[in-house]
Amino acid sequence: MIDSVKKVQTHLDKTSCTSNIMHTEATIFTVTDASHAIGTEEKNILKSIILRLNHGENHALALMSGINRVDTKKIRHILNAKHVSFESGEVCETLFGFKPGGVPPIGYDEPITALLDTDLWKCDTVWAAAGTDHDFFPISPDELLRITNGQKADIAKQ
């Protein structure tokens, strides 16, 4: 098992989550790729986006329905941050060990604030990347909220 996938599996085990990591030869790099590979609608694909807060002083996760876009102004307000931007893929890999297309909602060495898009609750199950652009796992929004110790929030652009 690849180290990044092991980090996700370790977190699933530690939180007593029964979701199973699956592997596909097809890429899940984009929401469209993932929906085709998994056989589900794009709204059911979980986008895990690492955000840079206050010019890199801290980071947070935006966990989004695949069809939604992040509203950084809303996140800035919720987290009382002066600045919110998207972290670069290079920094995501260097700091956290996850490449774009495989960024998971869990598996981080240090706790990271997670904001969960309220639209996730329109789905019974969402499909999350598990550390690579070929590994993923299904999870309910309630269980995702629990294992991320996150916050349900309206963070989608209207």
Side-chain angles (χ1 to χ4, degrees):
M1 193 181 296
I2 297 170
D3 285 345
S4 57
V5 177
K6 282 182 187 175
K7 289 169 72 171
V8 174
Q9 185 62 60
T10 297
H11 192 98
L12 289 171
D13 294 342
K14 188 169 69 174
T15 58
S16 301
C17 182
T18 59
S19 292
N20 293 315
I21 295 177
M22 297 177 229
H23 180 83
T24 179
E25 292 304 315
T27 182
I28 59 166
F29 188 78
T30 68
V31 170
T32 301
D33 291 345
S35 71
H36 289 290
I38 295 167
T40 190
E41 295 177 66
E42 290 187 2
K43 71 177 184 172
N44 298 331
I45 302 300
L46 180 74
K47 293 192 291 193
S48 299
I49 302 165
I50 298 177
L51 300 170
R52 183 181 177 146
L53 306 177
N54 299 328
H55 305 286
E57 288 178 11
N58 208 343
H59 289 86
L61 273 172
L63 303 178
M64 306 294 296
S65 170
I67 58 173
N68 287 351
R69 293 177 50 212
V70 176
D71 188 326
T72 56
K73 289 178 184 174
K74 288 180 179 179
I75 291 175
R76 194 175 69 225
H77 177 74
I78 292 166
L79 297 179
N80 197 28
K82 292 179 181 155
H83 182 264
V84 175
S85 62
F86 297 95
E87 189 57 270
S88 72
E90 190 175 291
V91 172
C92 288
E93 185 175 6
T94 302
L95 288 182
F96 303 106
F98 302 114
K99 294 179 183 178
V103 174
I106 56 171
Y108 297 87
D109 294 333
E110 300 293 326
I112 187 167
T113 299
L115 298 176
L116 285 75
D117 177 11
T118 56
D119 282 353
L120 294 173
W121 277 264
K122 294 179 181 178
C123 310
D124 292 329
T125 300
V126 294
W127 299 84
T132 75
D133 61 352
H134 292 277
D135 297 281
F136 60 94
F137 64 97
I139 191 164
S140 73
D142 284 335
E143 185 71 345
L144 183 64
L145 183 67
R146 181 186 72 79
I147 69 170
T148 60
N149 197 29
Q151 175 184 342
K152 186 177 180 180
D154 174 14
I155 56 172
K157 279 191 179 179
Q158 299 303 319

